[in-house]
Amino acid sequence: MLCQADLVLTARLHRPGRRLVGVLRGVTDFSWVCYISELAVSASAQGLGIGKGLLDEARRQLGPAVAIALISTPNSVGFYERIGLTRIPDAFWLLRECYSDERHEHDVAE
């Protein structure tokens, strides 16, 4: 997953051991849009500004002319709204095929 991404950013604590606490993975053409396919912050580090910091760094590296798009899990919507992302009503989703009985929270029930 990481080797096929165009943009990978990580966040580590400024402490001995520098434990990984956040990661952002994106796919982009570097001119029109970057789709953030993963933004994850360790539960123990949430609320420290790491997620916003990773998105800010993505914006800095991509430049202001590149839009950033992502799909939120229901539990994260408030976070994205608080940091200034805008909901868009005209997005579409084609469900992926699951090859097991496992369902993920972002998959829509049939």
Side-chain angles (χ1 to χ4, degrees):
M1 289 171 49
L2 292 176
C3 66
Q4 296 300 320
D6 300 308
L7 180 66
V8 177
L9 303 173
T10 60
R12 296 182 178 274
L13 293 178
H14 286 284
R15 294 185 182 141
R18 298 188 41 88
R19 184 172 63 93
L20 181 69
V21 294
V23 64
L24 178 146
R25 180 170 55 100
V27 179
T28 184
D29 58 7
F30 292 101
S31 62
W32 182 255
V33 68
C34 177
Y35 169 66
I36 303 298
S37 52
E38 183 172 38
L39 175 60
V41 176
S42 171
S44 64
Q46 290 180 5
L48 301 176
I50 292 168
K52 182 176 183 330
L54 287 167
L55 283 168
D56 288 347
E57 179 61 17
R59 169 61 91 196
R60 188 191 70 74
Q61 288 191 25
L62 294 164
V66 178
I68 293 178
L70 59 83
I71 297 169
S72 177
T73 61
N75 293 341
S76 300
V77 170
F79 164 73
Y80 293 117
E81 289 177 334
R82 279 192 307 277
I83 66 168
L85 274 68
T86 303
R87 281 190 189 212
I88 56 171
D90 52 350
F92 301 91
W93 184 262
L94 181 60
L95 289 176
R96 63 188 181 89
E97 294 182 23
C98 294
Y99 295 100
S100 71
D101 292 333
E102 181 180 344
R103 288 294 229 177
H104 298 277
E105 68 180 74
H106 63 272
D107 290 335
V108 176
E110 297 179 87

